[in-house]
């Protein structure tokens, strides 16, 4: 996976690339992966409003 793909994915889920690259390796237990963030966002988008 290239850095460009990671940057684009991070931007789509509202995560700053610098913050992700800084926090993820240090906080593996507490910082969710981009895949987890994408799954969470898709679940939120699928829920009806109201």
């Amino acid at each position: 996976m290239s850095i460009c793909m990671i940057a684009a994915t991070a931007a789509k889920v509202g995560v700053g690339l610098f913050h992700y690259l800084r926090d993820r390796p240090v906080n593996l237990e507490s910082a969710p992966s981009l895949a987890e963030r994408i799954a969470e966002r898709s679940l939120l988008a699928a829920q009806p409003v109201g």
Side-chain angles (χ1 to χ4, degrees), residues 5-27:
M5 291 176 67
I6 294 171
T9 302
K12 285 181 184 178
V13 295
V15 177
L17 178 63
F18 174 76
H19 295 287
Y20 179 76
L21 292 177
R22 182 194 62 200
D23 293 342
R24 178 70 179 154
V26 176
N27 302 314

